[in-house]
Amino acid sequence: MSFSIRIAEKLPLLSSRVSLIGVPKLRFVSFLHLNRRFPKKMAFSLENGQVSVENKAGLVRPATEAHAEEAIQALKTGKVIAVPTDTLYGFACDACSLEAVNRIYEIKGRKHTSPLAICVGDVSDINRFAVTDHLPHGLLDSLLPGPVTVVLSRGESSNLEKSLNPGLESIGVRVPDSNFVRVIARGLESALALTSANLTGQPSSVSIKDFENLWEHCAYVYDGGVLPSGRAGSTVVDLTRLGKFKILRPGSAKEETTAILEKHSLVEEPAAG
């Protein structure tokens, strides 16, 4: 069975930016410097709500590189943390820790039949977890980092635990356009399992206050302010077939994504239905 069959309705975190054309530029914060491949629509500043909610039990931290090491250590011990991405707030854990992955399902009240995507620090890490050698040279570097989830075959050599999304032959992969999350993923030296910081079926979170009722389940909650991405889904694209692509969820970057894929001579497959 393929991850693609379930992905379109099962990845609420993989939501993405909406156009900010006409909106004044926001100030950049150095640790959240965004390595862009898409138009500059997504910059945000911690001044817009940094640690704006009461720091309950010392759980809340600013999402700065100064706090990355404690986040890495928490992940290595099987804990779940909440982080801002370039799309929405999400729960993250070590994708290779069955206990931690199960914990995320429990926190969200999510069925284990709903697959989780993974997040890695760099595009060059993707081939440790999924099959990429059939893709045109430079394609992934053109798409990522950014608000796109690429669905790829796991392959026999994948470093992912078989217990992650059991029975599925493919995996959704993100390289978010946020240095904080990428630093954590690099330090973990593994993949992060990543899903939206909300109860299943509830609206996704654009600030830590949106999921304040779930803070107690996290080792730390990292505050990156109010994210301006909106609640639209990210663009999810199936790249498992040689020379083909299929948009599984349009999201807010469909046009840019399609243009990049076609530039690399991939042909779009019609959506099912």
Side-chain angles (χ1 to χ4, degrees), residues 54-86:
E54 181 183 358
N55 188 343
K56 293 184 177 179
L59 294 178
V60 177
R61 304 280 196 275
T64 63
E65 289 191 27
H67 294 280
E69 185 58 34
E70 68 181 7
I72 293 166
Q73 294 307 313
L75 293 169
K76 286 183 176 180
T77 57
K79 300 296 193 303
V80 173
I81 62 175
V83 296
T85 72
D86 59 349

Side-chain angles (χ1 to χ4, degrees), residues 126-134 152-162 168-171 240:
I126 296 177
N127 61 12
R128 296 169 51 201
F129 306 99
V131 177
T132 63
D133 53 11
H134 65 296
L152 298 164
S153 298
R154 288 170 69 141
E156 293 300 320
S157 61
S158 174
N159 288 354
L160 289 174
E161 293 289 333
K162 299 296 184 183
L168 296 183
E169 298 172 356
S170 53
I171 185 73
T240 57

Side-chain angles (χ1 to χ4, degrees), residues 104-121:
I104 279 186
Y105 278 105
E106 292 172 3
I107 294 171
K108 289 181 61 67
R110 184 173 182 167
K111 295 180 179 179
H112 281 70
T113 52
S114 301
L116 295 178
I118 64 169
C119 160
V120 296

Side-chain angles (χ1 to χ4, degrees), residues 183-196:
V183 166
I184 292 172
R186 292 184 193 118
L188 184 62
E189 298 181 340
S190 181
L192 298 175
L194 196 61
T195 186
S196 56

Side-chain angles (χ1 to χ4, degrees), residues 136-148:
H137 178 73
L139 173 62
L140 292 178
D141 287 303
S142 297
L143 291 170
L144 302 168
V148 180

